[in-house]
Amino acid sequence: LGQGANDPAWVNGSAKTLTTQGDLLYRDGSGLQRLAKGTANKVLAMNSAANAPEWQTVSSDVVKIASVTISSTTAYVDFQGCFTDTYKHFSLKWNNLTTSGSLYPEIGFLKANNSHATDITYYSKAMQITNQLSAVTDGGAWSQNDSQGFRPMNTWTMAGGLNAAHHGEMTFTSPQSSRGKFVMFQSNFIQNYEVGNGTVGVNWGMGGIISTTSYTGLRFATNTGTFNTGDIAIYGWKQ
């Protein structure tokens, strides 16, 4: 700016311009100017004219919309309002899921009135590999449908207890649109960790519904029993 940091005119001018803790000082075409401190989580960037700094909201093509950590028994977790026109694709992820017994998850849509959408049929089908870790693996295919939700695992593949873990991901395409909705999923389960005694499996599949209803949220539920622990999160992807 043409003046030293210890110059009295510089110091006095700065003190008169800056009024609040967190303010920044910059120069425009006429002299020193104050940029008031930004609000929480804002980032400093140049304006569209590229001649002055300003505070902006961080923009990302991928954003975590909502998440929950299950630390006590629950039959389902709702994520209402997670589907908006801001994003075209959505990813649901679950990790370290433990259950109260031999059951399977059902992932269904929520309507805007918080009603679980059970007036439709959810179709799911997948390829799977499952067996003991030390054994020759078995492959096969399965297909299921019901009114509660998509099944990212076959009906018998989740077993309860803390010595188990279940992980997976389901991708939704435009569930808030008035067209048919489709999902893709990958899920795996581990029942007991011992190589010779445990059973593991993985499913790769897809699902769909025939409905023109716009859905705003989803329910991550069990067909029976409860979830005991786990982390579940949903992310939005721009296009």
Side-chain angles (χ1 to χ4, degrees):
L1 297 178
Q3 292 174 303
N6 295 320
D7 190 300
W10 166 265
V11 175
N12 291 337
S14 300
K16 292 178 181 179
T17 304
L18 301 178
T19 62
T20 306
Q21 180 179 356
D23 286 353
L24 297 178
L25 190 67
Y26 73 97
R27 179 180 177 117
D28 66 4
S30 59
L32 298 179
Q33 302 296 335
R34 167 184 177 253
L35 177 64
K37 68 174 184 176
T39 56
N41 299 319
K42 295 284 186 176
V43 296
L44 189 63
M46 293 302 293
N47 62 14
S48 58
N51 58 15
E54 66 179 9
W55 297 106
Q56 296 180 1
T57 301
V58 176
S59 178
S60 175
D61 289 340
V62 182
V63 170
K64 182 169 72 173
I65 299 172
S67 63
V68 66
T69 294
I70 299 173
S71 57
S72 59
T73 57
T74 182
Y76 62 87
V77 174
D78 283 352
F79 293 101
Q80 182 55 284
C82 61
F83 297 139
T84 68
D85 291 335
T86 302
Y87 305 99
K88 296 297 184 182
H89 308 282
F90 302 86
S91 293
L92 175 71
K93 296 177 180 288
W94 59 94
N95 186 45
N96 291 323
L97 205 64
T98 63
T99 64
S100 62
S102 297
L103 50 86
Y104 52 89
E106 293 182 312
I107 301 169
F109 290 118
L110 289 176
K111 299 178 181 178
N113 62 358
N114 278 342
S115 174
H116 183 204
T118 57
D119 55 345
I120 54 177
T121 300
Y122 297 86
Y123 296 92
S124 306
K125 57 175 55 182
M127 296 294 296
Q128 67 179 359
I129 298 175
T130 182
N131 212 314
Q132 292 183 351
L133 282 170
S134 60
V136 177
T137 56
D138 295 329
W142 55 266
S143 179
Q144 298 169 333
N145 64 83
D146 64 31
S147 62
Q148 297 300 314
F150 300 112
R151 301 182 189 179
M153 295 183 181
N154 205 354
T155 56
W156 46 265
T157 54
M158 289 187 75
L162 293 178
N163 197 23
H166 313 291
H167 316 271
E169 176 179 6
M170 181 174 288
T171 301
F172 301 79
T173 300
S174 299
Q176 73 279 24
S177 73
S178 59
R179 304 186 301 274
K181 286 81 174 170
F182 296 91
V183 301
M184 295 181 294
F185 57 82
Q186 175 178 317
S187 62
N188 66 71
F189 70 94
I190 303 171
Q191 178 188 356
N192 297 318
Y193 292 129
E194 298 84 355
V195 172
N197 186 42
T199 301
V200 298
V202 62
N203 294 269
W204 300 274
M206 63 170 293
I209 62 172
I210 303 172
S211 173
T212 59
T213 300
S214 177
Y215 299 106
T216 57
L218 63 85
R219 172 170 292 182
F220 193 100
T222 69
N223 66 308
T224 183
T226 60
F227 298 122
N228 294 337
T229 63
D231 296 291
I232 308 172
I234 185 164
Y235 299 82
W237 298 69
K238 292 182 179 178
Q239 181 171 331

